[in-house]
Amino acid sequence: MPYRDFAFVQPPGILILLSPVALLSRLLGTHEGFHVARIIGACVSALDASLLAWLVRRRGMLAMFVSGVGLALTPVAMFFSSEIRLEPYCFLFLLLGSLKVASSRTSPSPSTRAIVVAGVLFGLAASIEFWAFFAFLAMVLSLVPDSRRRALGFALGAGAGLIAPCLPFLLVAPRAFVTQVFLEQLHHPHLGGTLGRRLVEISGFAGTNVAPSGAEALCGFIALIAVGAVVVDHRKYRAIESYLLLSSILCLVGLLAAPAAYTDYGYFAAPFFFGVLGLIAARIGEHVVRLSRIVLHSSVIRRFVGTLGAIAGVAFVVGALSFDTTFYSIDLPLTGVNASAISSLSRAIPKGSCVIYDTVGMGLVADRFVTSDPECPALVDPYGESMAWGYQLGSPQSRAVAFWRTNLADATYLVVAVPIAESPEAVHQNPYQGMISWNESLLSWFKDHYRLQSCRPECVYRRVT
């Protein structure tokens, strides 16, 4: 049971969503079930792009194309398309809720029932990742000018959607749930780097050969929001357009203010940015159409311009895909799917062995995660454990040291990204080794009981008797 039996520093929504895959893995095996979940995640990422395009459909095909294709081809979307991540599932519910608000065909004002259902969907999104709060706040602010009663109904629906999936876990382990889900998120150490680096990460192009500088990213965001504020239609369909703009602003501010920054955050902001970009493109397209009616009287000129536009569109898609490929290739060794690392683990570790990883995904992909040893510790998420123990900053707690000593004593292998340093001070200077609570005593015990077996490129240590 998460929170009670192992640390899980996120809301429980993703566990509930993927539990059918976990049941399926009882038949297929954990390794195969993991890949089934990855395929589902790729489908969800693709569905998000389609739903975003559908959300701006009233602005026309150009808005749909820019929003949907832009989200699908942004490099950070490629980063998510092959992994199991929270953001695509969170956005699935956010977009479904947004579409519920925009579902009325005859009026821009949806029914109260639709508003409450939309709130429930936003609450379910928050049960997967709390970053959904920014989108929730933006929707409330967008609904208030039309009807405070509907905004209240939306907020109550969101509360119900969040509490319902969380309540069973809260009742089972109240203290651990509150600590891991709320307090640990608020007490992140400052791991985000400079403002410029955060802006590049949020842009979604970090790691590519076309990544902007921090100043370029800042100018781009300011221009997008400023032009978007002018483009937003204040007469009809006000809620959705205002919602996309406000979500872009709130997400940008919230992600910049967060104590930690990761590449993942670029995906969370991307749908809102591309939604606003689609609205801008549609407004520009309206003026271009008016101008074209004046200029393009000749059928020859119309065919020429149409052909040129088609060629430019194909070139854009091919170029975007090539940039995505460079991003994926650069990121490949960092995301636990490096082919040489997988094959080396498969050779070095017999199937069914009891293994502890600092990056559990390596064991899942290499099919060396499931053990036949009933005494093997169930160490699900070492990074989550390190968060639960305060990120091992400074001298580790005695309980944390005892926790790792027990796990290492019961395991047969330890797999880490880099060789274990010679002293606790050197260990804590390396962010890749901060997941285990090393102190002088534990490090000395480890040197007496474990030997380095291979380091190609993952380092495999074997316990000796």
Side-chain angles (χ1 to χ4, degrees):
M1 176 64 72
Y3 314 111
R4 185 191 67 186
D5 299 323
F6 64 91
F8 190 71
V9 290
Q10 299 290 350
I14 192 68
L15 301 178
I16 298 172
L17 277 178
L18 293 183
S19 58
V21 183
L23 292 174
L24 181 63
S25 71
R26 295 287 187 175
L27 300 175
L28 301 179
T30 299
H31 174 255
E32 290 73 15
F34 178 67
H35 288 298
V36 169
R38 293 176 68 183
I39 293 170
I40 294 174
C43 295
V44 170
S45 298
L47 182 59
D48 286 346
S50 301
L51 292 176
L52 178 63
W54 192 245
L55 182 63
V56 297
R57 67 191 182 279
R58 283 176 170 150
R59 279 298 194 175
M61 291 295 293
L62 183 58
M64 295 177 69
F65 178 84
V66 171
S67 299
V69 175
L71 178 59
L73 294 184
T74 190
V76 75
M78 179 71 78
F79 176 58
F80 280 104
S81 66
S82 65
E83 299 190 9
I84 300 172
R85 294 283 178 166
L86 302 178
E87 285 80 2
Y89 291 93
C90 177
F91 257 107
L92 176 63
F93 287 98
L94 289 179
L95 290 169
L96 289 174
S98 303
L99 283 167
K100 198 66 180 175
V101 174
S103 62
S104 175
R105 297 182 180 180
T106 59
S107 170
S109 298
S111 66
T112 302
R113 180 180 178 182
I115 288 291
V116 173
V117 172
V120 171
L121 291 169
F122 270 64
L124 292 174
S127 74
I128 298 172
E129 189 169 34
F130 283 137
W131 286 118
F133 171 76
F134 299 120
F136 161 79
L137 182 58
M139 183 60 81
V140 170
L141 294 176
S142 301
L143 291 173
V144 164
D146 292 331
S147 173
R148 293 184 180 181
R149 181 180 177 183
R150 288 181 176 178
L152 178 60
F154 176 81
L156 293 176
L162 173 62
I163 293 173
C166 293
L167 187 59
F169 300 92
L170 177 62
L171 294 176
V172 169
R175 182 176 180 181
F177 182 89
V178 172
T179 300
Q180 294 174 26
V181 175
F182 293 99
L183 299 183
E184 295 302 339
Q185 300 297 329
L186 296 174
H187 292 93
H188 266 294
H190 287 272
L191 304 172
T194 64
L195 176 64
R197 178 193 163 191
R198 285 173 175 263
L199 289 166
V200 174
E201 295 279 1
I202 295 171
S203 76
F205 285 84
T208 69
N209 54 4
V210 292
S213 65
E216 292 169 343
L218 178 60
C219 292
F221 289 136
I222 292 175
L224 180 71
I225 292 171
V227 176
V230 176
V231 166
V232 165
D233 194 337
H234 294 284
R235 295 167 298 173
K236 55 183 180 179
Y237 317 133
R238 175 180 181 179
I240 290 302
E241 296 200 8
S242 299
Y243 159 70
L244 289 173
L245 179 63
L246 286 172
S247 295
S248 299
I249 297 172
L250 293 175
C251 280
L252 180 61
V253 173
L255 295 176
L256 290 176
Y262 303 99
T263 306
D264 312 24
Y265 292 176
Y267 187 93
F268 191 84
F272 301 122
F273 291 147
F274 280 107
V276 174
L277 191 61
L279 298 177
I280 294 173
R283 179 60 64 88
I284 295 174
E286 292 173 0
H287 295 292
V288 171
V289 168
R290 294 192 190 100
L291 181 63
S292 66
R293 288 172 180 170
I294 301 173
V295 176
L296 301 179
H297 286 295
S298 170
S299 60
V300 175
I301 296 178
R302 285 199 300 270
R303 285 196 296 270
F304 173 76
V305 172
T307 303
L308 189 63
I311 293 173
V314 171
F316 166 76
V317 171
V318 172
L321 285 172
S322 69
F323 289 138
D324 280 0
T325 303
T326 62
F327 178 86
Y328 186 71
S329 301
I330 291 170
D331 196 69
L332 194 62
L334 305 178
T335 55
V337 291
N338 185 286
S340 62
I342 295 167
S343 59
S344 66
L345 285 183
S346 300
R347 290 192 302 268
I349 300 174
K351 198 167 186 177
S353 299
C354 180
V355 193
I356 291 179
Y357 299 88
D358 64 352
T359 305
V360 175
M362 290 299 299
L364 288 167
V365 179
D367 198 13
R368 292 297 185 269
F369 181 72
V370 177
T371 177
S372 57
D373 181 1
E375 302 299 324
C376 186
L379 190 55
V380 178
D381 180 13
Y383 186 65
E385 296 289 349
S386 73
M387 289 181 66
W389 295 111
Y391 289 89
Q392 319 304 328
L393 300 177
S395 300
Q397 303 177 30
S398 58
R399 290 187 302 157
V401 174
F403 170 83
W404 285 105
R405 169 73 174 268
T406 301
N407 282 287
L408 290 169
D410 292 337
T412 306
Y413 293 91
L414 172 68
V415 178
V416 292
V418 295
I420 303 298
E422 293 298 318
S423 67
E425 292 76 16
V427 166
H428 292 301
Q429 290 174 0
N430 191 324
Y432 291 100
Q433 296 181 354
M435 299 180 191
I436 301 178
S437 304
W438 298 110
N439 65 0
E440 289 286 356
S441 174
L442 182 59
L443 197 58
S444 175
W445 179 92
F446 179 80
K447 292 176 182 178
D448 291 338
H449 291 82
Y450 276 82
R451 295 290 181 270
L452 180 63
Q453 181 170 316
S454 64
C455 220
R456 302 189 305 265
E458 297 293 308
C459 297
V460 180
Y461 289 84
R462 181 183 176 116
R463 182 167 57 87
V464 296
T465 57

